[in-house]
Short mmCIF file of all heavy atoms in Angstrom, two decimals:
data_model
loop_
_atom_site.label_atom_id
_atom_site.label_comp_id
_atom_site.label_asym_id
_atom_site.label_seq_id
_atom_site.Cartn_x
_atom_site.Cartn_y
_atom_site.Cartn_z
N THR A 1370 93.38 123.56 96.14
CA THR A 1370 93.25 122.47 95.23
C THR A 1370 94.34 122.58 94.08
O THR A 1370 94.53 123.57 93.52
CB THR A 1370 91.83 122.51 94.53
OG1 THR A 1370 90.87 122.43 95.57
CG2 THR A 1370 91.67 121.34 93.61
N LEU A 1371 95.03 121.44 93.95
CA LEU A 1371 96.07 121.40 92.85
C LEU A 1371 95.54 120.46 91.84
O LEU A 1371 94.92 119.44 92.02
CB LEU A 1371 97.29 120.82 93.38
CG LEU A 1371 97.92 121.45 94.64
CD1 LEU A 1371 99.13 120.73 95.15
CD2 LEU A 1371 98.28 122.96 94.29
N THR A 1372 95.72 120.86 90.54
CA THR A 1372 95.22 119.99 89.42
C THR A 1372 96.44 119.77 88.51
O THR A 1372 97.19 120.60 88.16
CB THR A 1372 94.19 120.83 88.63
OG1 THR A 1372 93.18 121.23 89.42
CG2 THR A 1372 93.56 119.94 87.47
N THR A 1373 96.50 118.46 88.13
CA THR A 1373 97.63 118.04 87.25
C THR A 1373 97.15 118.14 85.86
O THR A 1373 95.93 118.27 85.57
CB THR A 1373 98.06 116.58 87.61
OG1 THR A 1373 97.03 115.68 87.30
CG2 THR A 1373 98.51 116.51 89.03
N ASN A 1374 98.02 117.85 84.93
CA ASN A 1374 97.59 117.79 83.49
C ASN A 1374 96.71 116.68 83.10
O ASN A 1374 96.03 116.69 82.07
CB ASN A 1374 98.84 117.88 82.59
CG ASN A 1374 99.81 116.74 82.70
OD1 ASN A 1374 99.53 115.89 83.53
ND2 ASN A 1374 100.77 116.65 81.94
N GLU A 1375 96.63 115.63 84.01
CA GLU A 1375 95.72 114.59 83.77
C GLU A 1375 94.29 114.84 84.37
O GLU A 1375 93.42 114.04 84.36
CB GLU A 1375 96.18 113.25 84.27
CG GLU A 1375 97.41 112.74 83.67
CD GLU A 1375 98.70 113.24 84.28
OE1 GLU A 1375 98.67 113.69 85.42
OE2 GLU A 1375 99.71 113.19 83.55
N SER A 1376 94.12 116.08 84.94
CA SER A 1376 92.86 116.51 85.53
C SER A 1376 92.47 115.77 86.81
O SER A 1376 91.30 115.86 87.24
CB SER A 1376 91.65 116.39 84.54
OG SER A 1376 91.93 117.17 83.36
N SER A 1377 93.40 115.08 87.39
CA SER A 1377 93.16 114.55 88.70
C SER A 1377 93.32 115.73 89.68
O SER A 1377 94.07 116.68 89.53
CB SER A 1377 94.08 113.37 89.03
OG SER A 1377 95.43 113.81 88.93
N VAL A 1378 92.71 115.53 90.80
CA VAL A 1378 92.65 116.67 91.77
C VAL A 1378 93.09 116.17 93.11
O VAL A 1378 92.72 115.18 93.60
CB VAL A 1378 91.19 117.26 91.92
CG1 VAL A 1378 91.18 118.35 92.92
CG2 VAL A 1378 90.73 117.80 90.59
N LEU A 1379 94.01 117.00 93.71
CA LEU A 1379 94.49 116.76 95.07
C LEU A 1379 94.16 117.99 95.93
O LEU A 1379 94.55 119.09 95.59
CB LEU A 1379 96.04 116.52 95.10
CG LEU A 1379 96.78 116.52 96.40
CD1 LEU A 1379 96.26 115.21 97.17
CD2 LEU A 1379 98.25 116.44 96.17
N THR A 1380 93.40 117.79 97.04
CA THR A 1380 93.09 118.91 97.90
C THR A 1380 93.90 118.77 99.14
O THR A 1380 93.96 117.78 99.81
CB THR A 1380 91.54 118.77 98.19
OG1 THR A 1380 90.81 118.84 97.11
CG2 THR A 1380 91.20 119.94 99.16
N ILE A 1381 94.61 119.95 99.44
CA ILE A 1381 95.45 120.05 100.64
C ILE A 1381 94.70 120.87 101.64
O ILE A 1381 94.38 122.03 101.29
CB ILE A 1381 96.76 120.59 100.23
CG1 ILE A 1381 97.47 119.71 99.25
CG2 ILE A 1381 97.63 120.79 101.47
CD1 ILE A 1381 98.78 120.30 98.66
N GLN A 1382 94.44 120.35 102.84
CA GLN A 1382 93.78 121.08 103.80
C GLN A 1382 94.80 122.01 104.48
O GLN A 1382 95.84 121.58 104.90
CB GLN A 1382 93.11 120.23 104.91
CG GLN A 1382 92.09 119.24 104.34
CD GLN A 1382 90.84 120.07 103.88
OE1 GLN A 1382 90.61 121.20 104.31
NE2 GLN A 1382 90.11 119.47 102.95
N THR A 1383 94.44 123.26 104.67
CA THR A 1383 95.20 124.24 105.30
C THR A 1383 94.38 124.91 106.39
O THR A 1383 93.17 124.94 106.31
CB THR A 1383 95.78 125.33 104.38
OG1 THR A 1383 94.76 125.94 103.66
CG2 THR A 1383 96.75 124.63 103.30
N GLY A 1384 95.04 125.63 107.25
CA GLY A 1384 94.33 126.37 108.34
C GLY A 1384 93.88 125.44 109.44
O GLY A 1384 94.51 124.44 109.76
N GLU A 1385 92.76 125.71 109.99
CA GLU A 1385 92.24 125.05 111.25
C GLU A 1385 91.20 124.06 110.86
O GLU A 1385 90.31 123.76 111.77
CB GLU A 1385 91.78 126.03 112.16
CG GLU A 1385 92.80 126.98 112.65
CD GLU A 1385 93.90 126.29 113.42
OE1 GLU A 1385 93.64 125.37 114.27
OE2 GLU A 1385 95.10 126.55 113.17
N VAL A 1386 91.16 123.46 109.78
CA VAL A 1386 90.13 122.36 109.43
C VAL A 1386 90.51 121.08 110.18
O VAL A 1386 91.59 120.62 110.13
CB VAL A 1386 90.17 122.07 107.93
CG1 VAL A 1386 89.24 120.94 107.59
CG2 VAL A 1386 89.80 123.31 107.12
N LYS A 1387 89.49 120.61 110.99
CA LYS A 1387 89.79 119.49 111.75
C LYS A 1387 89.06 118.26 111.02
O LYS A 1387 87.96 118.37 110.63
CB LYS A 1387 89.28 119.58 113.15
CG LYS A 1387 90.10 120.57 113.91
CD LYS A 1387 89.83 120.57 115.42
CE LYS A 1387 90.81 121.49 116.10
NZ LYS A 1387 90.77 121.30 117.53
N ASN A 1388 89.76 117.16 111.04
CA ASN A 1388 89.23 115.91 110.45
C ASN A 1388 89.59 114.81 111.47
O ASN A 1388 90.35 114.91 112.38
CB ASN A 1388 89.83 115.61 109.15
CG ASN A 1388 89.34 116.46 108.05
OD1 ASN A 1388 88.17 116.44 107.78
ND2 ASN A 1388 90.22 117.28 107.40
N GLN A 1389 88.92 113.65 111.16
CA GLN A 1389 89.19 112.47 112.04
C GLN A 1389 90.32 111.65 111.43
O GLN A 1389 90.32 111.34 110.21
CB GLN A 1389 87.96 111.55 112.08
CG GLN A 1389 88.09 110.45 112.96
CD GLN A 1389 86.75 109.67 113.14
OE1 GLN A 1389 85.79 110.26 113.60
NE2 GLN A 1389 86.76 108.42 112.80
N TYR A 1390 91.30 111.36 112.26
CA TYR A 1390 92.47 110.59 111.92
C TYR A 1390 92.58 109.36 112.84
O TYR A 1390 92.23 109.44 113.97
CB TYR A 1390 93.75 111.39 112.01
CG TYR A 1390 93.88 112.48 111.04
CD1 TYR A 1390 93.33 113.73 111.33
CD2 TYR A 1390 94.55 112.33 109.82
CE1 TYR A 1390 93.39 114.80 110.46
CE2 TYR A 1390 94.64 113.35 108.88
CZ TYR A 1390 94.03 114.61 109.27
OH TYR A 1390 94.18 115.60 108.30
N THR A 1391 93.10 108.31 112.29
CA THR A 1391 93.42 107.09 113.16
C THR A 1391 94.99 106.99 113.18
O THR A 1391 95.62 107.05 112.08
CB THR A 1391 92.78 105.79 112.55
OG1 THR A 1391 91.37 105.92 112.49
CG2 THR A 1391 93.25 104.53 113.35
N ILE A 1392 95.49 106.94 114.35
CA ILE A 1392 96.92 106.81 114.59
C ILE A 1392 97.15 105.38 115.08
O ILE A 1392 96.62 104.97 116.05
CB ILE A 1392 97.50 107.82 115.64
CG1 ILE A 1392 97.11 109.28 115.15
CG2 ILE A 1392 98.95 107.65 115.88
CD1 ILE A 1392 97.37 110.30 116.33
N THR A 1393 98.04 104.66 114.34
CA THR A 1393 98.33 103.29 114.75
C THR A 1393 99.92 103.08 114.66
O THR A 1393 100.55 103.63 113.79
CB THR A 1393 97.72 102.17 113.89
OG1 THR A 1393 98.02 102.55 112.50
CG2 THR A 1393 96.18 102.19 114.10
N PHE A 1394 100.43 102.39 115.63
CA PHE A 1394 101.87 102.06 115.56
C PHE A 1394 102.06 100.56 115.90
O PHE A 1394 101.24 99.92 116.59
CB PHE A 1394 102.67 102.77 116.73
CG PHE A 1394 102.93 104.24 116.24
CD1 PHE A 1394 102.14 105.28 116.65
CD2 PHE A 1394 104.02 104.48 115.48
CE1 PHE A 1394 102.38 106.57 116.28
CE2 PHE A 1394 104.32 105.72 115.03
CZ PHE A 1394 103.48 106.82 115.42
N TYR A 1395 103.09 99.92 115.18
CA TYR A 1395 103.33 98.60 115.33
C TYR A 1395 104.85 98.35 115.67
O TYR A 1395 105.69 99.19 115.32
CB TYR A 1395 103.17 97.88 113.96
CG TYR A 1395 101.70 97.93 113.45
CD1 TYR A 1395 101.19 99.06 112.74
CD2 TYR A 1395 100.85 96.92 113.74
CE1 TYR A 1395 99.92 99.15 112.41
CE2 TYR A 1395 99.47 97.01 113.34
CZ TYR A 1395 99.09 98.08 112.72
OH TYR A 1395 97.72 98.25 112.28
N ASP A 1396 105.01 97.31 116.48
CA ASP A 1396 106.44 96.95 116.78
C ASP A 1396 107.21 96.60 115.46
O ASP A 1396 106.69 95.86 114.69
CB ASP A 1396 106.47 95.75 117.80
CG ASP A 1396 107.84 95.35 118.20
OD1 ASP A 1396 108.55 94.71 117.44
OD2 ASP A 1396 108.23 95.73 119.34
#
C-alpha cells in the first residue's frame, strides 16, 4: 500500500493474487 501526502491510498497487488479482469479490444 502506497500513501500520498493527501492520504489517498493506492494498493498494488503483488505475488499470486488472482482477480477478475475483462479484456476488450476494438478496431
Side-chain angles (χ1 to χ4, degrees):
T1370 302
L1371 304 175
T1372 306
T1373 67
N1374 58 358
E1375 292 89 21
S1376 298
S1377 58
V1378 176
L1379 170 65
T1380 300
I1381 300 172
Q1382 297 293 337
T1383 58
E1385 296 299 316
V1386 176
K1387 291 191 176 193
N1388 286 299
Q1389 183 172 304
Y1390 292 87
T1391 299
I1392 302 171
T1393 52
F1394 281 96
Y1395 298 87
D1396 183 282

